[in-house]
Amino acid sequence: MDPEYFQSHEMCWGTLGTVRPFANFHSDLDAMEIQKALEMKDAGTLVRILTNRTNTQRQEIAKAFEEMTHKDLAAALKKALSGELEVLLLELLMPPLQYEAYRLQQAMVGIGTDEETLLEILCTHSGRELQEISVAYKEIYKKDLDKELKGETSGDFYKLLVALLNKDEVPGGVRRDIEALSATLNVKKAEAGPWIDILTSRDSDHLNKVLMGLELDIGQMVDQALEKKFSGDIRLGLKALVECIQSPECYLAKRLTATKTPILQGIMVSHSEEDLLCVRTAYLKLTGTSLYTALQKQFKGDHLQALLAICRSED
């Protein structure tokens, strides 16, 4: 644990993130120290600085580094580092909107589509944030995100993803929504349309009331009903969306139990300044082990130290 983190007494402890503004911050001094660390291939120093600064502060460091050296910091990191640590530090350097656009692109690139990562990003961001991510995606990849989704998915699952991408809050009656969803479960072949329409167009408080009321009406948990009535990707999508509505931190904690590094790393970087403390608490409750301890069992070296710094502490 870096003592610098705790010496910064002016940090904003009111957030639910684990990475907070570093109070005694001087971008030029950080840039100078990073320049020396790159020359010496001192990964420890790079980790200490980049994991103890917010994304906004990292952008200032990158600017100061370029003014000082006439070199791009990301390119310099690529030259000096390799493997998973290189990937992680490069991800920390990306502005948030660009990072989410990058994660979406990575979920669709190559053979096969990572539907669960697409769902995670689309379910856990607001409609306004997703519109900003769509703009960033177009700027970086010169392609429309909704068209890319159409090329990678189909049917009701595609309709769900596009509805999530364009989500908006439309007033609705709780009882009317409960009855509309319940009606789809009382026929042999359930229709996904009402689920997509309602779950992507109401605020979270309204939807939680709807889901609780629906469970009382049907006498079982919503995810159990979805498991029985739907199949394939649309079942995966609706279950993920319901989980995220009911408890986003539990949904993300469950995702963190995956052993794939890109999934774990993506969630930790994405949520480090927002709600990673909540996700950590949910992870401990879900697994009986703290995320801090779990990381030590799976990773090692400088990559582990970087992940521990983002996680920040034991629970």
Side-chain angles (χ1 to χ4, degrees):
M1 181 60 59
D2 187 354
E4 283 186 353
Y5 184 76
F6 294 103
Q7 290 168 2
S8 182
H9 64 279
E10 294 179 6
M11 293 191 312
C12 42
W13 289 102
T15 73
L16 294 172
T18 55
V19 176
R20 294 149 178 159
F22 188 71
N24 191 26
F25 175 65
H26 300 283
S27 59
D28 53 342
L29 296 180
D30 282 347
M32 288 175 62
E33 195 169 359
I34 284 174
Q35 183 184 17
K36 292 177 184 176
L38 288 168
E39 291 172 357
M40 302 294 292
K41 289 187 167 36
D42 178 4
T45 295
L46 297 174
V47 167
R48 175 176 57 79
I49 295 173
L50 294 176
T51 60
N52 277 289
R53 309 294 185 268
T54 62
N55 193 277
T56 299
Q57 291 176 330
R58 290 181 211 119
Q59 302 313 314
E60 293 181 37
I61 292 169
K63 183 179 178 182
F65 182 88
E66 187 165 3
E67 290 173 352
M68 184 185 305
T69 66
H70 305 291
K71 295 178 182 178
D72 177 67
L73 179 53
L77 285 172
K78 282 184 183 179
K79 190 174 180 180
L81 301 172
S82 62
E84 293 177 330
L85 178 62
E86 174 198 342
V87 173
L88 176 55
L89 295 189
L90 288 174
E91 289 179 351
L92 287 172
L93 274 185
M94 293 183 197
L97 295 177
Q98 290 182 19
Y99 182 57
E100 297 308 313
Y102 163 77
R103 292 186 69 208
L104 287 167
Q105 192 266 349
Q106 288 295 297
M108 294 184 284
V109 75
I111 299 172
T113 303
D114 182 356
E115 292 88 356
E116 294 189 22
T117 294
L118 294 178
L119 285 166
E120 176 212 312
I121 296 168
L122 296 177
C123 287
T124 57
H125 286 85
S126 69
R128 180 185 57 79
E129 289 169 339
L130 289 171
Q131 291 309 306
E132 292 174 346
I133 291 167
S134 294
V135 171
Y137 192 97
K138 180 71 176 284
E139 290 176 352
I140 299 167
Y141 302 108
K142 312 304 178 188
K143 297 177 181 178
D144 291 322
L145 180 53
D146 57 351
K147 291 180 180 177
E148 291 285 275
L149 291 171
K150 188 173 184 178
E152 294 292 325
T153 60
S154 61
D156 285 333
F157 186 62
Y158 164 69
K159 292 176 184 177
L160 172 62
L161 295 184
V162 171
L164 285 166
L165 185 61
N166 298 298
K167 69 176 75 163
D168 197 8
E169 292 182 5
V170 179
V174 171
R175 190 66 234 168
R176 187 167 64 249
D177 285 348
I178 291 171
E179 290 171 356
L181 295 180
S182 182
T184 68
L185 302 175
N186 293 326
V187 294
K188 189 172 183 180
K189 183 173 174 57
E191 286 185 39
W195 289 86
I196 295 171
D197 292 342
I198 292 169
L199 297 186
T200 62
S201 65
R202 308 283 192 268
D203 65 66
S204 59
D205 287 342
H206 177 99
L207 289 174
N208 273 301
K209 291 175 184 175
V210 169
L211 294 174
M212 286 189 286
L214 181 61
E215 289 179 343
L216 289 172
D217 274 17
I218 64 177
Q220 61 181 324
M221 303 296 285
V222 174
D223 67 331
Q224 294 173 334
L226 293 172
E227 184 72 29
K228 292 177 183 176
K229 286 293 183 178
F230 294 96
S231 62
D233 287 341
I234 187 61
R235 177 170 66 189
L236 174 74
L238 291 176
K239 288 182 68 175
L241 180 51
V242 166
E243 279 185 59
C244 199
I245 290 166
Q246 293 176 327
S247 178
E249 62 272 17
C250 289
Y251 166 74
L252 290 169
K254 191 180 293 186
R255 288 270 291 155
L256 281 176
T257 60
T259 56
K260 292 182 180 179
T261 300
I263 295 173
L264 181 143
Q265 204 158 279
I267 293 171
M268 290 186 65
V269 171
S270 182
H271 293 268
S272 60
E273 294 182 44
E274 301 296 329
D275 56 2
L276 192 54
L277 284 175
C278 297
V279 178
R280 268 176 29 188
T281 300
Y283 186 93
L284 178 61
K285 187 175 180 180
L286 176 69
T287 66
T289 301
S290 71
L291 179 59
Y292 198 84
T293 295
L295 290 170
Q296 294 175 70
K297 295 177 180 177
Q298 186 175 346
F299 302 98
K300 60 184 179 180
D302 292 315
H303 185 222
L304 169 63
Q305 294 309 310
L307 290 172
L308 290 179
I310 295 169
C311 182
R312 197 55 66 190
S313 66
E314 185 66 84
D315 287 309

